[in-house]
Amino acid sequence: MFERFTRSARVAVVLAQEEARDAGADRITPTHLLLGVLGTVDGELQSELGEVGLTVDAVRAADVGRVLTDQDADALKGIGIDVAAVADAVSERFGFDVLRPIRKRFRAGNIPFGPGAKRSLQLALREAVNRKDRSIDGAHVVLGVLRSDDAESLAAVESVVPRDELRRRLYDLLDRPAA
């Protein structure tokens, strides 16, 4: 299937793996795929996604799996709680790096695709085949994520734009003649 992916779509998949690794995940999820696409988009797709507010920052802001953001740490510091000092005390008492996820500490090499990410990529291929497109690009991957019905990635998308509107915009983008 990856032979049909454009260069930017392949880079998006590599970035998705890096996103998963950075998050300490043991599998690539549809949200990681979405972040990978958003990290590589350019041209018309970037303009379209930016216009509706779908950015890396927006998806990360909607990330329910993140325990403490930098803004959270700043807010806590404002009321006298130094998160770094707390982390240092916990590490001193219970061992170095105890707060870092174990999977992240020891994860090397390829991270496998989770079932949702596999389904998203299969659906991206179906989108391209149904449209009779010769290649799969970032827009197809986003459409695959939208069709996958993954709750986390859909919550991230719908925090900024209704999924049906995004789907319509992506179809319109793909229907435009090449410039």
Side-chain angles (χ1 to χ4, degrees):
M1 166 175 42
F2 286 110
E3 63 275 358
R4 293 189 64 179
F5 277 55
T6 62
R7 184 179 186 282
S8 65
R10 289 178 191 193
V11 171
V13 172
V14 171
L15 276 180
Q17 182 177 19
E18 292 303 315
E19 288 286 343
R21 182 176 288 109
D22 290 347
D26 58 354
R27 301 239 183 260
I28 298 170
T29 67
T31 303
H32 296 133
L33 289 173
L34 185 59
L35 287 167
V37 170
L38 292 170
T40 63
V41 294
D42 58 3
E44 291 183 18
L45 180 58
Q46 180 181 34
S47 174
E48 200 69 40
L49 296 175
E51 193 173 304
V52 297
L54 191 59
T55 64
V56 169
D57 291 337
V59 171
R60 286 194 176 129
D63 183 6
V64 294
R66 187 171 298 183
V67 176
L68 190 68
T69 66
D70 291 339
Q71 292 89 356
D72 295 334
D74 290 342
L76 289 169
K77 193 171 199 157
I79 59 170
I81 299 172
D82 185 354
V83 175
V86 171
D88 290 344
V90 169
S91 292
E92 185 177 307
R93 169 90 188 221
F94 298 104
F96 176 74
D97 219 15
V98 70
L99 297 176
R100 191 171 171 193
I102 292 172
R103 294 179 302 234
K104 187 173 180 180
R105 255 189 283 174
F106 300 108
R107 195 75 182 148
N110 288 332
I111 296 176
F113 292 99
K118 285 180 186 178
R119 178 144 174 78
S120 295
L121 293 173
Q122 290 167 344
L123 291 168
L125 173 63
R126 283 189 194 163
E127 287 285 346
V129 168
N130 289 341
R131 297 180 43 77
K132 297 180 177 47
D133 292 336
R134 293 185 177 162
S135 60
I136 301 167
D137 68 12
H140 296 101
V141 175
V142 174
L143 287 167
V145 169
L146 293 176
R147 284 186 59 191
S148 75
D149 291 330
D150 174 70
E152 182 182 319
S153 59
L154 290 178
V157 168
E158 293 199 344
S159 71
V160 293
V161 60
R163 91 173 97 164
D164 291 335
E165 179 184 341
L166 180 58
R167 185 179 288 122
R168 181 189 53 75
R169 284 174 165 265
L170 292 173
Y171 285 146
D172 290 348
L173 174 67
L174 290 169
D175 287 340
R176 290 180 200 152

